[in-house]
Amino acid sequence: MEDLAEGMASAVDAYCRHLRLERNYSPHTVRATRCDLEQYALWAARRELDPLNVTLRQIRGFLAEQDRAGYARSTINRRLSSLRGFFGYCQSCELCQGNPAAALQGPKQPKTLPKVLRRSDMTRLLAVHAAVDLDGRPREQSASDLRDQALLELLYACGVRVSEAAGLKPADVDLAQGQARVMGKGSKERIVPLHGTAIAALKDYLDRGRSELLGEKDCAHLFVTTRGNPMSADAIRVMFKRSLQQAGLDPSLSPHAMRHTFATDVLDGGADLRSVQEMLGHASLSTTQIYTHLTPTRLQVAHAQAHPRA
């Protein structure tokens, strides 16, 4: 069994290296995939199975155990996807004879609409670190406030992912042109526009906050910690949760809600779906279409313009 475990561990390492170096997967996706495959390897070890040579029925048994253990359908589907990709890779490298996960279908997931922030809640959130509070009183901003304000404004201004914001360099933000160059999933680069409020917040951070946070250090990334190190995606999530608490908003919201809110608001404002797809960096228009269900104002206008009795 030790030889089987070592063979599986070696195959997982090779596959994760392939995802990182050849497929340009994000570190977060590679970590999640490794975790899924390690869970599968533990299951196979408990049943004294060779993890690289199992049947479709045995893979179905692994997924059934995951369901009985109470894992969410989204987690089970992700683990099936990880196994499907892993066995496909192993088959191409002649580490196994076939892909037992290829023909399996994951459990159907209920369709849920993404969470968005109401206009009033967004106003409260963006006032947490601002130079003026909700009552119009000026506030002394620390270097961290300037950074966090710039981050929040950026997330809402152009709907970037947290990982994309964390990867920005100062040269990626062109304040004169009002745009940012973003590296998205699969190393796909796109240009996203910035509005005046976000530009002003970023300028304040670059002029006053970033140098104070850096101190004597030098950092290639745009957003830095109080120790002058690159601000990771996890650090941005922690900042977001802290800002939610200070604003008195729903603590279950994630930074991705800023992306959802951006897409919903620009569609409500009259943007066409294809433009929103480009700004979000979606590979498929069908992914962007979810936001059409979140824009009742847009639907009401379309109905009023098109229906003969409206």
Side-chain angles (χ1 to χ4, degrees), residues 119 262-272 295 297-298:
R119 295 286 175 89
F262 159 79
T264 304
D265 286 352
V266 293
L267 279 171
D268 262 343
D272 63 276
T295 55
T297 302
R298 183 182 175 88

Side-chain angles (χ1 to χ4, degrees), residues 146-148 150-151 154 165-166 168 170 202 205 210 219 221-225 229-232 236:
L146 291 168
R147 179 202 62 202
D148 296 347
L151 257 170
L154 176 73
L168 286 174
L202 284 163
Y205 166 62
R210 188 169 181 272
C219 182
H221 287 74
L222 174 61
F223 295 108
V224 298
T225 68
N229 298 318
M231 197 172 185
S232 67
I236 295 176

